[in-house]
Amino acid sequence: MKTINRDDFLKSMLALVKETFEGTSTDFGTMYLDKDTSLLITLETVTAVTASKALTDDGMTIAAHCEHLRFYIDFLNNYLNENFEIVDWKESWGTRTVTKKEWNVLRGKLHKAYQAVLDTFTDVEDWTDHKISGALGILTHTAYHLSAIRQMQKMLKKDAVILEV
Amino acid sequence: MEQIDKEYFIKSLAYLFLETFEGSPEGQGSAYLDRGVGIFSTLGAASSEDASRSVNGTTAAAQTEHAKFYLDRLCEFMNGRTEPINWDQSWLIETVDEEEWDALRESVRKAYENTLKMIADHADWSERSVGMAMAMLAHTAYHLGSIRQILKTK
């Protein structure tokens, strides 16, 4: 066969993106993440204080990773909607520390960006190679940063225990 | 449009795998990784000692073996395997000596090459196989993120 059914592609893509953000299981279980390790579930367990800590003086924080993710998702969502714009990627790393209020706002923006992507994926009619690459980029980029965030969270918890002792 | 050109999907998937393993090629845009970052350059820069250092109860070697195991098994499923997998076996490696680390890195390269071949040769792109192929990519990207974070910890 020279073609792939659009619905087959869309169902798989939506299932994987939902698993990455929400941890939703598919009919045959999770496809690549352990239970309760999705991005939104992970970020619910991170406080603004932890999100603002770096492991090294010049290292990135969890808040920085989140804003970078939001920026990337919004950029590609615009691209998939055929609103291509040139952006300064350095701006995506502009956040370092957050207050409790800022952390809630940032997580809200990330959630909104994710919801917009679900709508966009559903609305795309003509999946060209560029659009497929854009969707795969959102999936892989989020997966990549999710694991970095989870490792950082574990390291920061360990450091906190050492400091308390 | 109710159908997607299979070549579009294969081309995009193969490019993302190439970037994940080899890094984005010079002169071409990167889809999600910084220039020069990929599985091979990351593992190539790590010694067996680095790969065996325990961080948060895991090691870069353990993550590497697990990622490779997942790729190999999903390739088998894509090629018709039906027997279930004991996923505990994907976590059997914790530390490696120099020789074992070289062998593990070589096996990762073979798993990557097999994956590209499987993608190119696969004929029946059903919902299940499309999902598995994309999960292979997402899973590798996830563990690349972990491995790079673990290796940063000295």
Side-chain angles (χ1 to χ4, degrees):
Chain A
M1 287 176 71
K2 290 185 175 178
T3 59
I4 294 171
N5 187 296
R6 178 183 172 275
D7 284 348
D8 287 345
F9 168 79
L10 188 58
K11 276 185 197 167
S12 294
M13 180 60 82
L14 288 174
L16 277 163
V17 172
K18 281 184 181 176
E19 181 172 321
T20 307
F21 281 84
E22 299 182 53
T24 312
S25 298
T26 61
D27 292 344
F28 46 99
T30 57
M31 293 170 82
Y32 83 100
L33 288 178
D34 289 338
K35 194 172 178 284
D36 295 336
T37 62
S38 71
L39 183 64
L40 298 177
I41 290 172
T42 299
L43 296 183
E44 279 301 308
T45 66
V46 178
T47 64
V49 173
T50 301
S52 303
K53 284 182 185 166
L55 291 160
T56 56
D57 289 345
D58 59 348
M60 294 300 175
T61 63
I62 290 176
H65 278 272
C66 284
E67 170 56 13
H68 173 72
L69 271 176
R70 190 219 43 92
F71 190 100
Y72 179 96
I73 292 166
D74 279 348
F75 169 80
L76 272 171
N77 191 42
N78 282 332
Y79 176 77
L80 289 168
N81 282 303
E82 296 172 14
N83 297 318
F84 181 76
E85 52 182 341
I86 293 175
V87 296
D88 180 0
W89 286 100
K90 282 182 190 162
E91 277 182 28
S92 72
W93 290 108
T95 298
R96 188 169 173 83
T97 60
V98 283
T99 62
K100 191 176 175 184
K101 190 178 174 188
E102 288 167 341
W103 182 227
N104 286 336
V105 170
L106 178 51
R107 286 185 294 189
K109 281 183 179 174
L110 193 51
H111 198 275
K112 202 173 160 189
Y114 159 61
Q115 292 290 348
V117 160
L118 294 183
D119 290 342
T120 297
F121 283 179
T122 307
D123 290 344
V124 170
E125 286 184 11
D126 186 10
W127 282 97
T128 62
D129 52 347
H130 286 100
K131 287 189 178 179
I132 293 170
S133 295
L136 288 173
I138 291 171
L139 174 65
T140 49
H141 186 254
T142 310
Y144 178 82
H145 284 280
L146 167 59
S147 65
I149 288 169
R150 290 186 59 79
Q151 288 296 334
M152 285 175 71
Q153 186 191 19
K154 286 179 191 170
M155 287 172 201
L156 289 165
K157 268 186 192 165
K158 200 174 94 185
D159 282 355
V161 170
I162 290 167
L163 286 173
E164 281 167 17
V165 171
Chain B
M1 295 174 78
E2 296 302 313
Q3 299 294 317
I4 297 172
D5 189 325
K6 188 177 89 172
E7 291 308 314
Y8 285 170
F9 177 70
I10 289 173
K11 186 179 158 189
S12 300
L13 194 64
Y15 187 81
L16 265 290
F17 267 109
L18 183 145
E19 180 170 319
T20 304
F21 281 85
E22 300 186 43
S24 54
E26 277 301 322
Q28 290 192 53
S30 61
Y32 81 101
L33 292 173
D34 289 340
R35 186 73 67 190
V37 171
I39 290 271
F40 295 142
S41 62
T42 300
L43 301 184
S47 65
S48 57
E49 196 182 326
D50 296 332
S52 303
R53 188 179 303 114
S54 180
V55 177
N56 299 326
T58 187
T59 65
Q63 298 278 323
T64 303
E65 167 64 14
H66 172 75
K68 185 210 61 150
F69 186 98
Y70 183 97
L71 276 186
D72 284 343
R73 296 297 83 77
L74 261 75
C75 266
E76 289 170 6
F77 276 128
M78 297 278 289
N79 287 326
R81 177 183 174 130
T82 52
E83 310 93 90
I85 305 287
N86 177 2
W87 289 104
D88 289 345
Q89 287 184 347
S90 70
W91 291 111
L92 294 181
I93 289 179
E94 289 181 17
T95 60
V96 282
D97 61 24
E98 205 173 321
E99 197 177 321
E100 289 165 338
W101 184 225
D102 284 344
L104 179 53
R105 287 184 292 193
E106 186 53 33
S107 68
V108 169
R109 187 171 287 278
K110 280 186 185 155
Y112 164 60
E113 287 166 0
N114 283 341
T115 299
L116 288 185
K117 188 174 184 314
M118 180 277 293
I119 290 168
D121 293 346
H122 198 72
D124 176 26
W125 286 101
S126 62
E127 179 190 341
R128 186 170 179 269
S129 57
V130 167
M132 281 199 285
M134 294 194 297
M136 289 164 83
L137 182 63
H139 187 259
T140 309
Y142 181 87
H143 286 282
L144 173 59
S146 285
I147 290 166
R148 290 185 62 80
Q149 199 63 49
I150 289 165
L151 290 174
K152 280 182 189 172
T153 308
K154 294 285 180 184

